[in-house]
């Protein structure tokens, strides 16, 4: 049963309702290890499903282009004030539709087309929007890219500094999608200052850890901070840009009217709800448990002979290099999905294979921690992953279905926010 209920949807449109129910059951039964995913609270779901979606409100609180903003204005103000309090920033814009548009707004605020931007290379762990070639950000700007050291799997700050001195980027990105280690915001800030670049910290993956005090904050180091709201922060699909008073106007103008029209007010309300949740003491416990679980899972995987990029993790994310395990990332991820363990295939640094069939697997503990799993369950999950990867190498499907049953049994003991099986 979906919670909040979807009874009207069921009556009116059973085709859609059946698929929503089926997806909810899938989320309930699986060990969800996709590093960018989570389970939001029923309160966040209710805000997302509210009549606020009916309202247009181009502009900002107190300066709108449409009438009837008596209740939208205080909602957006709540979201902004909570973002400022949770992250300790001077200014927050909560209107970007998602992480990629938020990052485009950062370019719009600080750069002209053709300017040089420096970001982490996508196959090394960066994001498309940090200047990768197929992205608008790599086509409309001049990208230069840093990576990790081959021997440590960690960001090579000497390379970052040398590249920045040589290429003189106007904007430097730190943060990414597959970085299992703490980001040294102070070191990036020093490099940016030396070359006169704007430093943008993209904390999409780690925002919840920062909010909960389980990862250092970029505040005071980065000129501008972008984040999604739906990953470790456990809010609706959306994004925010945070900055200082100095850059507030440029950022706001870039989001609207630079790139967007009306903000998604139902999302804004849900962001406000999620930020109130993130300010509670139990969210700090959650954030620390996410990291404790990732550490325990990494240790259990390493014990089983898995090769982890950088040797382990400091945050919610683990990157496995499957080279030498007899099966590449894609078939391994497919076998794991069939066995009830959901993750994604991923490139690893210096991957000799193609991005659509790379050598690695990426895992994260944000979602399973929301379900209530703790360190004690991690060796079991590592054992299943080991068993399934071996079965995939031998193309033994019977093992996969047995593991799926065991996974279902485990997860039935941990309630899911937003859905429960019919009693
Ligand atoms: C997820 C992510 C984004 C993009 O977010 P979308 O909402 O998918 O557009 C941007 N940057 C980083 C580092 C991310 O992890």
């Amino acid at each position: 049963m979906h919670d909040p209920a979807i009874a009207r949807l069921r009556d009116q449109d059973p085709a859609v309702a059946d698929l929503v129910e089926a997806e909810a059951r899938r989320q309930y039964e699986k060990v969800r290890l996709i590093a960018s995913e989570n389970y939001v609270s029923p309160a966040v779901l209710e805000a997302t499903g509210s009549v606020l979606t009916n309202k247009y409100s181009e502009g900002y609180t107190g300066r709108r282009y449409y009438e009837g903003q008596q209740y939208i204005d205080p909602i957006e103000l709540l979201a902004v004030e909570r973002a400022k309090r949770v992250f300790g920033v001077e200014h927050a814009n909560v209107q970007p539709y998602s992480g990629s548009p938020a990052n485009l707004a950062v370019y719009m605020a600080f750069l002209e087309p053709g300017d040089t931007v420096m970001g982490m290379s996508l196959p090394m762990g960066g994001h498309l929007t940090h200047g990768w070639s197929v992205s608008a950000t790599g086509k409309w700007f001049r990208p230069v890219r840093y990576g990790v050291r081959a021997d440590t799997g960690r960001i090579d700050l000497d390379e970052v500094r040398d590249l920045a001195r040589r290429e003189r980027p106007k904007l430097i990105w730190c943060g990414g999608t597959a970085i299992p280690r703490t980001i040294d915001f102070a070191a990036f800030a020093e490099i940016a200052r030396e070359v006169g670049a704007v430093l943008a910290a993209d904390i999409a993956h780690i925002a919840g850890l920062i909010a909960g005090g389980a990862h250092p904050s970029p505040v005071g180091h980065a000129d501008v901070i972008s984040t999604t709201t739906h990953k470790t922060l456990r809010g609706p699909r959306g994004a925010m840009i945070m900055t200082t008073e100095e850059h507030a106007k440029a950022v706001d103008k870039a989001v609207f009217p630079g790139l967007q029209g009306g903000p998604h007010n139902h999302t804004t309300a849900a962001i406000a709800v999620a930020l109130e949740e993130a300010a509670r003491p139990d969210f700090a416990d959650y954030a620390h448990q996410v990291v404790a679980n990732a550490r325990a899972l990494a240790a259990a995987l390493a014990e089983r002979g898995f090769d982890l990029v950088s040797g382990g993790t400091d945050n919610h994310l683990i990157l496995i290099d499957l080279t030498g395990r007899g099966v590449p990332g894609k078939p391994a991820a497919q076998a794991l999905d069939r066995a009830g363990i959901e993750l994604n295939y991923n490139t690893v640094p210096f991957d000799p294979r193609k991005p659509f069939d790379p050598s690695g697997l990426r895992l994260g503990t944000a979602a399973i921690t929301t379900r209530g799993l703790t360190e004690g369950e991690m060796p079991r999950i590592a054992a299943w992953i080991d068993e399934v990867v071996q079965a995939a190498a031998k193309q033994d499907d019977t093992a996969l279905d047995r593991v799926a049953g065991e996974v279902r049994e485990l997860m039935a003991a941990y309630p899911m926010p937003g859905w429960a099986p019919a009693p």
Side-chain angles (χ1 to χ4, degrees):
M1 290 255 298
H2 206 276
D3 171 25
I6 55 166
R8 251 71 61 92
L9 179 61
R10 168 149 305 290
D11 287 346
Q12 179 183 316
D13 196 334
V16 171
D18 282 348
L19 290 167
V20 172
E21 281 287 329
E23 168 62 14
R25 178 179 289 281
R26 193 193 66 79
Q27 293 183 13
Y28 175 78
E29 290 180 344
K30 281 192 168 164
V31 170
R32 294 177 59 226
L33 295 174
I34 292 181
S36 49
E37 293 183 352
N38 213 325
Y39 298 91
V40 301
S41 71
V44 167
L45 289 176
E46 284 182 357
T48 308
S50 68
V51 297
L52 300 183
T53 194
N54 297 341
K55 186 67 194 133
Y56 245 104
S57 50
E58 284 183 359
Y60 292 100
T61 299
R63 296 171 281 136
R64 305 283 188 185
Y65 291 82
Y66 294 81
E67 297 313 311
Q69 309 298 340
Q70 290 84 352
Y71 307 107
I72 297 300
D73 271 2
I75 285 169
E76 186 169 326
L77 200 59
L78 268 180
V80 167
E81 290 304 319
R82 287 173 182 177
K84 285 161 67 173
R85 204 166 56 239
V86 165
F87 289 96
V89 291
E90 292 176 11
H91 181 76
N93 185 309
V94 298
Q95 294 193 3
Y97 298 142
S98 211
S100 303
N103 285 354
L104 204 52
V106 170
Y107 287 84
M108 178 117 194
F110 294 101
L111 266 56
E112 294 296 328
D115 281 347
T116 301
V117 56
M118 187 163 129
M120 193 175 194
S121 156
L122 178 68
M124 291 277 185
H127 189 261
L128 281 164
T129 57
H130 299 179
W132 194 242
S133 47
V134 296
S135 157
T137 63
K139 290 182 190 289
W140 299 343
F141 302 92
R142 189 178 80 87
V144 294
R145 303 181 184 109
Y146 60 88
V148 297
R149 288 177 61 105
D151 55 344
T152 62
R154 296 179 188 235
I155 291 169
D156 186 342
L157 284 162
D158 293 329
E159 183 197 355
V160 174
R161 190 178 304 103
D162 290 347
L163 202 60
R165 283 177 179 161
R166 185 156 20 100
E167 302 288 349
R168 295 273 149 182
K170 247 178 138 173
L171 175 71
I172 298 176
W173 286 102
C174 58
T177 62
I179 304 173
R181 294 297 181 176
T182 302
I183 296 165
D184 189 346
F185 296 118
F188 272 100
E190 200 185 297
I191 293 166
R193 210 175 313 118
E194 187 194 319
V195 302
V198 169
L199 179 65
D202 181 347
I203 60 168
H205 262 266
I206 53 176
L209 305 185
I210 292 168
H215 187 290
S217 168
V219 177
H221 301 298
D223 301 287
V224 59
I225 300 164
S226 71
T227 185
T228 55
T229 48
H230 49 268
K231 299 180 185 176
T232 53
L233 192 57
R234 216 162 64 177
R237 302 198 83 85
M240 308 193 291
I241 304 174
M242 298 177 279
T243 187
T244 53
E245 278 304 337
E246 182 191 354
H247 301 303
K249 224 181 178 154
V251 165
D252 285 354
K253 275 174 61 184
V255 175
F256 173 85
L259 288 166
Q260 298 188 175
H264 293 179
N265 296 310
H266 54 303
T267 301
T268 304
I271 289 173
V273 173
L275 288 168
E276 191 279 330
E277 292 173 0
R280 295 182 195 164
D282 65 349
F283 192 86
D285 297 342
Y286 164 70
H288 285 92
Q289 189 64 53
V290 167
V291 175
N293 284 350
R295 287 222 172 100
L297 184 55
L301 288 165
E303 210 164 283
R304 290 182 169 274
F306 281 102
D307 178 12
L308 309 184
V309 172
S310 83
T313 181
D314 299 327
N315 54 31
H316 65 302
L317 190 145
I318 299 164
L319 202 54
I320 299 176
D321 186 343
L322 285 175
T323 308
R325 291 295 299 231
V327 60
K330 194 176 190 175
Q334 287 167 341
L336 283 158
D337 187 55
R338 176 156 169 191
I341 296 168
E342 184 189 9
L343 42 65
N344 65 280
Y345 59 85
N346 215 95
T347 54
V348 294
F350 310 101
D351 204 325
R353 301 178 61 87
K354 294 262 186 303
F356 200 61
D357 187 18
S359 302
L361 296 173
R362 189 186 69 157
L363 305 66
T365 51
I368 57 170
T369 306
T370 298
R371 287 292 288 275
L373 273 68
T374 55
E375 294 97 313
E377 299 296 352
M378 299 305 123
R380 249 182 114 182
I381 293 175
W384 281 325
I385 292 172
D386 193 8
E387 191 180 348
V388 171
V389 167
Q390 289 186 42
K394 290 183 291 199
Q395 297 183 327
D396 165 16
D397 285 354
T398 54
L400 310 187
D401 296 334
R402 183 179 44 73
V403 171
E406 292 169 8
V407 166
R408 251 195 319 274
E409 200 175 310
L410 172 75
M411 295 315 292
Y414 295 92
M416 166 177 155
W419 191 84

